[in-house]
Amino acid sequence: MKKNLILVLNCGSSSLKFSLFKPENGEKLLSGLAERLFSEQASIKIKYLGQTSQTFLPSPFDHQEAIKNLVETLVFHELNLQIFAIGHRVVHGGENYCTPTLVNEDVKKSINDLSRLAPLHNPANLIGINASEAIFSDLPQVAIFDTAFHQTMPEKAYLYGIPYALYKEHGIRRYGFHGTSHYFVAQEAAKALNQTLDESSFISAHLGNGCSVTAIKNGASVDTSLGFTPLEGVMMGTRSGDIDPGIIFHLVNQLDYTTEQVSHLLNKESGLLGVSGLSNDCREIEDAWLKYKNPRAKLALDVFCYRIAKSIASFTASLTSLDALIFTGGIGENSNLIRECIISQLGLLNFYVSNDKNETCRFGQTGYINTHNSRHILVIPTNEEWVIAEQTSQLISYQTSDKE
Ligand code: ADP
């Protein structure tokens, strides 16, 4: 049987997203999500040939069980024997991993060591790799790092204004995340503009539960808003983004917070959730404002949009030309309200939104949403899974042809 499929796994702390691709033509044959793992409500949804099935799973159901369940479906449809490699999303690759990497014991050790910089993500990514190795023991496993695309940032962008020894001795610097997403949308934007990526410059805003803005010059990341950890930058669903570091000392010294409590506050209780007091989900906050005129919902949306607009404007300092502003991620792709609010604060940069185009370009559509007298503004649905599949396929084919 021809081995021509790549399985992509993206393991979160209590979830597993998966997709099965045919890299030669980009076709996605199967995809799905196992969520609420380790809880009574654990379930797995699998979409194959346009049909979606959902199964509730007996507790405790972990990542390995979820992968086993997925494999049963793959076996049933005779897809398992066609897989030639597994691509894994790994959030933090530090400074050593700037390209797709074949997983071995050393790589796993590095991913584990880097857990101290991404404690919410790297341990889960490693669980996915181990679970996948246990089941697909004869297949190559490839790690694609979220930080890799940002390794082209110049020193002036990745260094903080703190003693240099902290960078040299402890690796404290900006790393940036969402790299595969920013890379994908930049590639698609260049295609839309009929340009090559290496002669294109963009600012891309990936707005999902996590949010980041990136400046891309001649196809390479030159600055990004997420930093040493995925806590810096613009405000997010539950993460604060930038705050005065003095607030942390105040919380600890005056208000008796422990460092764990501060971490929980800034990672889990802040952002849209913290300001609105309602939810981290943008749709719920939009509803609370539009339907019920909840003033805290409006405040959360205002702070969110202003901080993103400010970040976009600040990244013009990293560029010498700007071909387009790109919106992506669950919010960037779907919320015309958020896009309008952000763009309305960028008139000095000659960005103007077309209300008609903005309202229609949602739910998976790619398109321009600017007026005719504005710079280009593009909405591009992200496809990180495809980047992982493509890069995994390229690495494995390259290694195979190298051996031949
Ligand atoms: P993640 O970062 O977990 O991958 P997503 O990119 O899926 O998250 O984005 C999730 C966010 O997108 C949520 O805040 C959700 O409310 C928001 N979102 C999804 N659809 C819409 C919509 N139609 N309008 C506004 N926000 C939306």
Side-chain angles (χ1 to χ4, degrees):
M1 188 170 284
K2 197 173 169 203
K3 283 191 177 284
N4 61 349
L5 303 179
I6 297 279
L7 178 64
V8 175
L9 299 179
N10 177 357
C11 230
S13 53
S14 63
S15 69
L16 170 75
K17 282 188 197 158
F18 47 85
S19 329
L20 188 66
F21 282 97
K22 195 182 267 186
E24 64 203 37
N25 61 6
E27 186 186 355
K28 195 197 283 186
L29 292 147
L30 179 146
S31 61
L33 167 71
E35 56 185 342
R36 301 194 182 93
L37 297 174
F38 309 103
S39 82
E40 298 288 316
Q41 295 86 35
S43 71
I44 185 164
K45 249 189 221 165
I46 301 185
K47 189 172 168 196
Y48 178 61
L49 295 177
Q51 297 218 322
T52 304
S53 64
Q54 183 171 21
T55 316
F56 286 90
L57 304 163
S59 181
F61 212 82
D62 62 12
H63 294 89
Q64 192 155 340
E65 295 289 330
I67 296 177
K68 269 192 204 157
N69 190 293
L70 163 65
V71 170
E72 281 168 22
T73 305
L74 296 174
V75 170
F76 184 78
H77 297 295
E78 297 182 353
L79 293 165
N80 57 317
L81 296 176
Q82 298 178 51
I83 298 172
F84 70 96
I86 324 274
H88 296 269
R89 176 188 180 209
V90 180
V91 165
H92 215 309
E95 281 191 319
N96 290 336
Y97 296 102
C98 48
T99 51
T101 304
L102 193 63
V103 174
N104 57 27
E105 288 308 310
D106 286 346
V107 173
K108 286 203 290 182
K109 184 175 177 311
S110 301
I111 295 171
N112 189 39
D113 291 347
L114 287 162
S115 291
R116 68 188 195 284
L117 305 187
L120 302 178
H121 299 95
N122 270 32
N125 303 152
L126 198 52
I127 287 171
I129 292 175
N130 285 327
S132 168
E133 276 183 339
I135 291 172
F136 300 104
S137 54
D138 55 337
L139 294 183
Q141 316 276 333
V142 175
I144 309 292
F145 297 93
D146 260 27
T147 44
F149 179 59
H150 300 300
Q151 280 296 306
T152 47
M153 282 187 291
E155 269 181 322
K156 68 175 180 185
Y158 71 68
L159 284 181
Y160 292 109
I162 56 176
Y164 190 64
L166 288 171
Y167 163 57
K168 280 317 244 185
E169 289 162 27
H170 300 283
I172 298 181
R173 51 158 285 180
R174 176 184 310 286
Y175 291 98
F177 302 90
H178 293 148
T180 42
S181 176
H182 289 292
Y183 167 68
F184 176 79
V185 297
Q187 239 185 357
E188 293 301 299
K191 277 187 216 160
L193 290 165
N194 233 344
Q195 297 176 183
T196 59
L197 181 58
D198 62 9
E199 61 181 11
S200 306
S201 292
F202 302 115
I203 293 177
S204 58
H206 175 110
L207 311 178
N209 281 315
C211 300
S212 66
V213 178
T214 294
I216 297 161
K217 185 176 184 179
N218 301 330
S221 169
V222 287
D223 204 353
T224 191
S225 61
L226 290 171
F228 177 59
T229 70
L231 187 53
E232 194 186 345
V234 297
M235 177 172 138
M236 309 176 220
T238 59
R239 286 176 249 163
S240 62
D242 294 339
I243 60 163
D244 176 350
I247 294 171
I248 297 174
F249 308 126
H250 187 79
L251 290 170
V252 172
N253 297 331
Q254 310 300 324
L255 303 178
D256 294 331
Y257 277 62
T258 63
T259 50
E260 285 75 24
Q261 285 169 330
V262 175
S263 172
H264 195 264
L265 178 92
L266 299 180
N267 279 294
K268 301 276 186 186
E269 296 174 344
S270 298
L272 286 171
L273 172 66
V275 180
S276 71
L278 294 169
S279 169
N280 64 316
D281 191 296
C282 188
R283 278 165 296 201
E284 288 181 26
I285 299 177
E286 286 189 12
D287 273 359
W289 166 239
L290 296 173
K291 291 189 188 149
Y292 307 106
K293 295 287 167 239
N294 181 311
R296 286 267 297 283
K298 169 82 165 77
L299 187 62
L301 295 173
D302 281 349
V303 179
F304 183 74
C305 293
Y306 175 60
R307 286 180 166 257
I308 292 165
K310 227 169 45 157
S311 176
I312 291 169
S314 76
F315 279 138
T316 58
S318 321
L319 301 174
T320 47
S321 63
L322 178 53
D323 296 308
L325 169 63
I326 310 167
F327 285 97
T328 193
I331 299 174
E333 291 164 29
N334 296 305
S335 174
N336 51 327
L337 183 75
I338 295 282
R339 293 188 307 227
E340 200 256 315
C341 178
I342 294 170
I343 297 163
S344 68
Q345 299 174 76
L346 295 171
L348 268 183
L349 296 177
N350 205 15
F351 285 115
Y352 300 103
V353 70
S354 151
N355 290 335
D356 291 347
K357 291 181 193 163
N358 190 32
E359 258 179 62
T360 48
C361 196
R362 301 171 74 196
F363 311 126
Q365 290 224 13
T366 295
Y368 291 95
I369 57 166
N370 52 279
T371 58
H372 67 277
N373 59 339
S374 158
R375 283 181 195 273
H376 294 305
I377 310 170
L378 275 160
V379 174
I380 301 181
T382 195
N383 197 345
E384 291 157 288
E385 287 82 12
W386 165 241
V387 175
I388 295 172
E390 192 183 33
Q391 294 188 346
T392 299
S393 167
Q394 280 166 357
L395 180 74
I396 298 304
S397 314
Y398 173 74
Q399 296 215 332
T400 314
S401 61
D402 225 25
K403 280 185 206 148
E404 282 164 3

